[in-house]
Amino acid sequence: MQYLSTRGAAQPVNLDDALRQGLAADGGLLLPESLPRFEPDDFATAHDIKDVAAVLLRPFFAGSALLGDLEAIVAETFSFAIPLREVGNAKDDGRVALLELFHGPTAAFKDVGAGFLAACLTRLEGDPEAPLTILVATSGDTGGAVAAAFDGRAGMRVVVLFPDGRVSDRQAQQLTCWGDNVLSLRVNGAFDDCQALVKAALADSALGERYRFSSANSINIGRLLPQSTYYAHASLEHFRRTGSRPGFIVPTGNLGNALACVMAREMGLPVGPVVLATNANRTIADYFATLEWLPRASEQTLASAMDVGDPSNMERLRSLLGEADVLRERIGVLSVDDESIRNAVRADYEEFGFATCPHTATASHTWRQLEGDLRDACTWVLVATAHPAKFETIVEPLIGEPVPVPDELARILSRPSRSVPIEPSLEALAQAMFARFGTGPG
Ligand SMILES: *Cc1c(COP(=O)(O)O)cnc(C)c1O
């Protein structure tokens, strides 16, 4: 399988180079040259999610040095449960379900993509003599998932940069509780300063002589591909039981998770209607309504991990399916404001009997807004992207109860935390790296 740039001006690369590069050489995003097609019967002997992943992902590994490791990579990636839980009251009996993507180490769906990328990159590039150093700037959720995924992996290091005082206490803990191969830097600045520092470090020739750098940002194809697995597994499970295709409502920011859902449908999995739920960042909703793509600065909302004004994966979606006139025929979208998120968290607690996180609440609000016919057309799967205990300062006042902390999260919260404060300068970053990792080379 070759991977092509959405901009068409880069040489095709195989999976291994696609994983190493992240971005295509022409600045575009990498996509497989074509999507494999499946029938539900192709998964007849695939029972658990690892079996489904092995069948679904095998064509993407054609020509990769990792093909022989596929089963092991899949076993490492899907080491936690991803259950489809039926919820709802008598009226909606069996007509709404939650796809719980939050049972991983940092209690959010990014654990899947980060885990897969770590499993692949360690095998390709892990070298105890000259470790690969992953640089990641984070506004909260991504950095924790990446740190957790690479924690303790031989021949790999992570440097996480986050804005000091601008992430929640629990997010900060998830960024700072790891072993010696993870260096957590609290930057005296904003997220943009962290991102600028990562770019500067990657471009700096002196640092480049001492360390082998890579990044693990969300546009790496290794973050995207494994995510189609849980849509395949959930839709097959429902289809086998009922003979019908479930619809999915996906909380959406940078559009990676929803794109994986659309890709599963394109590959022939029994996925019904797909609806994107965004927060007040309306770029996608406006594009579908006006046919004009107008990216803008992001706006802060309660569903902060979805605060994206210029979703980069739109470039992949347009390249795969077409422009807004085509997209809006095949994909729904609703932009949900903060007041509706608050109401949905309360309504979920009353109706389902448990709390949802503010991101998941954009999906449940969207489900309640579906017109009668559409709502009754199929079972709707609400994609639960994070555990509400990660966002307890928002959720607990709304429901008037404490949110129980799941075991994985409790383990992370009880670990010792360490981080190094730095000024937003390349010298400060280099100094912190020398202090932890030595001065290289390697
Ligand atoms: C990252 C994130 C999202 C948005 O996912 P995209 O792939 O960027 O659309 C939604 N919910 C949570 C909890 C997240 O961490």
Side-chain angles (χ1 to χ4, degrees), residues 61 66 69-78 115-116 119-120 123:
F61 280 75
L66 296 171
D69 288 335
L70 175 58
E71 315 262 315
I73 290 168
V74 155
E76 279 173 32
T77 307
F78 295 97
F116 180 83
C120 292
R123 287 174 168 82

Side-chain angles (χ1 to χ4, degrees), residues 171-290:
Q171 277 176 331
Q173 176 68 12
Q174 291 183 328
L175 293 168
T176 58
C177 70
W178 307 105
D180 286 342
N181 73 326
V182 177
L183 173 60
S184 305
L185 302 176
R186 343 193 271 279
V187 177
N188 181 18
F191 169 64
D192 291 340
D193 298 311
C194 300
Q195 218 167 17
L197 265 181
V198 167
K199 277 198 183 150
L202 289 171
D204 188 77
S205 54
L207 270 181
E209 276 170 26
R210 297 174 188 273
Y211 302 107
R212 283 200 304 139
F213 284 129
S214 185
S215 60
N217 65 36
S218 66
I219 48 80
N220 192 303
I221 192 81
R223 299 269 305 268
L224 179 65
L225 289 179
Q227 295 177 166
S228 288
T229 303
Y230 41 76
Y231 295 107
H233 181 248
S235 65
L236 284 165
E237 181 180 308
H238 184 81
F239 186 74
R240 283 177 185 147
R241 204 154 33 81
T242 65
S244 65
R245 297 162 180 261
F248 287 86
I249 305 179
V250 190
T252 293
N254 206 29
L255 200 50
N257 200 8
L259 176 62
C261 182
V262 170
M263 283 169 59
R265 185 169 67 182
E266 293 299 305
M267 288 190 270
L269 275 303
V271 170
V274 175
V275 179
L276 317 179
T278 72
N279 58 25
N281 289 278
R282 314 187 31 91
T283 309
I284 302 173
D286 289 349
Y287 177 50
F288 283 16
T290 65

Side-chain angles (χ1 to χ4, degrees), residues 13-36:
V13 293
N14 69 3
L15 177 65
D16 307 349
D17 286 333
L19 292 168
R20 289 187 184 105
Q21 283 178 15
L23 269 182
D26 62 359
L29 275 62
L30 291 161
L31 267 177
E33 60 191 325
S34 64
L35 290 179

Side-chain angles (χ1 to χ4, degrees), residues 54-135:
V55 174
L56 186 78
L57 297 177
R58 181 165 300 276
F60 296 102
F61 280 75
S64 161
L66 296 171
L67 180 60
D69 288 335
L70 175 58
E71 315 262 315
I73 290 168
V74 155
E76 279 173 32
T77 307
F78 295 97
S79 58
F80 48 88
I82 304 191
L84 185 61
R85 158 142 71 138
E86 280 193 7
V87 293
N89 55 26
K91 180 166 67 66
D92 294 303
D93 194 23
R95 304 293 287 169
V96 57
L98 223 65
L99 180 57
E100 295 184 347
L101 303 182
F102 53 64
H103 296 283
T106 68
F109 83 92
K110 291 186 178 75
D111 285 326
V112 173
F116 180 83
L117 184 62
C120 292
L121 272 185
T122 303
R123 287 174 168 82
L124 286 172
E125 290 290 326
D127 179 357
E129 299 301 309
L132 188 70
T133 301
I134 308 283
L135 294 172

Side-chain angles (χ1 to χ4, degrees), residues 316-391:
R316 282 195 172 115
L317 188 60
R318 293 163 85 172
S319 166
L320 208 60
L321 291 189
E323 301 301 313
D325 55 328
V326 178
L327 293 175
R328 67 183 183 184
E329 298 293 316
R330 325 231 343 229
I331 301 169
V333 62
L334 186 71
S335 162
V336 179
D337 64 21
D338 275 355
E339 192 49 38
S340 302
I341 289 176
R342 285 192 198 93
N343 289 335
V345 170
R346 288 192 203 100
D348 291 347
Y349 192 63
E350 276 167 28
E351 199 173 330
F352 302 157
F354 53 83
T356 48
C357 87
H359 311 82
T360 307
T362 64
S364 62
H365 174 80
T366 299
W367 169 66
R368 292 191 181 91
Q369 295 298 306
L370 293 178
E371 313 253 320
D373 285 355
L374 183 56
R375 179 157 159 171
D376 294 339
C378 60
T379 290
W380 286 95
V381 176
L382 314 180
V383 177
T385 50
H387 193 283
K390 272 189 96 158
F391 302 95

